[in-house]
Amino acid sequence: MEYMDIRFPNLGIVFAHVGRYIAVGNFEIMYYGIIIGAGFLVGLLLAQKEARRTGQNPELYMDYLLWMMIPAIVGARAYYVIFSFDYYREYPEEILNLRHGGLGIVGGVAAAIIVLVIFAKKRGQKISLMLDTMTMSLLVGQIMGRWGNFFNREAFGGYTDNFLAMQIPLGYFEQTGRIYEIKQAGLMQNLVNVSAGGEELLYIQVHPTFLYEGLWNCLILLGIFCYRKRKKFDGELACLYLMGYGVGRFFVEGLRVDQLQIGQTGIAVTQVVCLGIFFGGLAVFVRRRFFQGCSEEKTARR
């Protein structure tokens, strides 16, 4: 028996068959990879449109994408592997296996920003303007990427009965060799019985934290889209992104059962990073918006 359904019982929504891949002959193309690739493409089109609006060369962003794609994926994977090293020490052959997920978006974003800084300097472009131009593209990529987690049945939280609660059959994790994840997360104590196909089956019922983050990012995207024509300085949209994403991800990460932790401290590394992201964005925003703006205004009056 296949256990391929995903349910949102309090919304009355049932996805009866959620596959993980498309088979082309004997080769399986994972939806996760398809979505990541589509995210890069949609992000590029959006960045080029924003570049035209702000008087930049749209082709510049095609070149940047070619520079950035591989380092971003490597950065995302490195972040995940480094903070899951107890597992990868035992199974080093799995380090390069991306087919089942295992990308830390924070590492990918950091790599993408580093590449952007290098690229902008080499091409004689303004770093802060390029960051602003890429902000909405980054958000769209993140929103789309979270649906890769949906197909992979990952990045969820602990038990909940809130209106967005998500149910996944326990049999799915048994069939895919991931039952240890459920036991490690302590979810075996809160299994629910669901009638499916004339049978009573056991399901985990959890926070769909990938969905929470996706919805939060949609709000940030909408806010930046509406505000972008009124920004006061180049780099402001990037600051708003850093503050918004940092605070949202901090709280969402607190709900996840697959947190990457700092050694045996029990401290979620992504929450620490997100605090740094938020306060870093806030510091630059305040300095540029208030202090530097006042200084420039006084200079102009003289």
Side-chain angles (χ1 to χ4, degrees), residues 107-273:
V109 171
I113 291 173
I114 291 169
V115 172
L116 185 145
V117 170
I118 296 169
F119 178 86
K121 286 184 175 180
K122 281 188 171 292
R123 293 296 183 90
Q125 302 297 314
K126 192 174 183 182
I127 294 171
S128 55
L129 178 58
M130 284 196 68
L131 285 170
D132 277 356
T133 305
M134 287 301 302
T135 294
M136 290 191 296
S137 298
L138 177 58
L139 280 164
V140 167
Q142 288 180 265
I143 292 164
M144 292 178 64
R146 281 304 172 202
W147 285 100
N149 301 137
F150 171 76
F151 287 104
N152 274 1
R153 282 83 162 172
E154 62 186 4
F156 48 76
Y159 173 81
T160 184
D161 195 31
N162 73 16
F163 75 104
L164 288 175
M166 177 179 69
Q167 294 177 340
I168 305 172
L170 186 66
Y172 171 84
F173 297 97
E174 292 172 337
Q175 284 185 342
T176 56
R178 293 173 54 195
I179 192 65
Y180 70 92
E181 295 178 22
I182 305 306
K183 291 178 178 177
Q184 251 183 357
L187 293 173
M188 299 294 286
Q189 288 74 42
N190 293 293
L191 298 176
V192 296
N193 283 296
V194 176
S195 296
E199 294 185 58
E200 287 286 321
L201 300 177
L202 291 173
Y203 283 68
I204 63 168
Q205 182 168 305
V206 294
H207 286 284
T209 50
F210 67 88
L211 179 59
Y212 299 165
E213 185 177 330
L215 292 173
W216 178 254
N217 285 345
C218 283
L219 291 176
I220 300 172
L221 177 62
L222 179 62
I224 287 176
F225 178 80
C226 294
Y227 180 75
R228 74 194 196 286
K229 293 181 181 178
R230 293 189 289 275
K231 72 174 188 177
K232 305 299 182 185
F233 61 89
D234 288 335
E236 185 173 7
L237 301 184
C239 288
L240 294 175
Y241 161 75
L242 292 173
M243 289 187 287
Y245 180 71
V247 71
R249 179 63 189 271
F250 178 86
F251 288 107
V252 170
E253 189 70 16
L255 297 173
R256 286 178 59 164
V257 295
D258 61 343
Q259 296 173 349
L260 302 177
Q261 298 189 344
I262 302 172
Q264 303 301 318
T265 64
I267 299 171
V269 63
T270 299
Q271 285 189 303
V272 175
V273 171

Side-chain angles (χ1 to χ4, degrees), residues 16-64:
H17 191 280
V18 181
R20 292 186 300 127
Y21 58 85
I22 297 171
V24 180
N26 294 324
F27 186 71
E28 298 172 356
I29 305 173
M30 307 299 289
Y31 287 131
Y32 188 86
I34 293 171
I35 290 170
I36 295 295
F40 278 122
L41 179 59
V42 175
L44 170 64
L45 296 175
L46 185 57
Q48 289 184 320
K49 185 172 182 180
E50 184 67 5
R52 290 188 191 96
R53 187 187 72 82
T54 53
Q56 301 174 76
N57 179 5
E59 294 307 310
L60 183 73
Y61 290 88
M62 170 62 86
D63 294 343
Y64 168 64

Side-chain angles (χ1 to χ4, degrees), residues 87-107:
Y87 172 81
Y88 289 103
R89 185 189 295 118
E90 296 291 324
Y91 304 98
E93 69 279 4
E94 288 292 309
I95 290 175
L96 299 180
N97 183 7
L98 304 181
R99 293 169 61 77
H100 303 295
L103 297 177
I105 187 63
V106 175

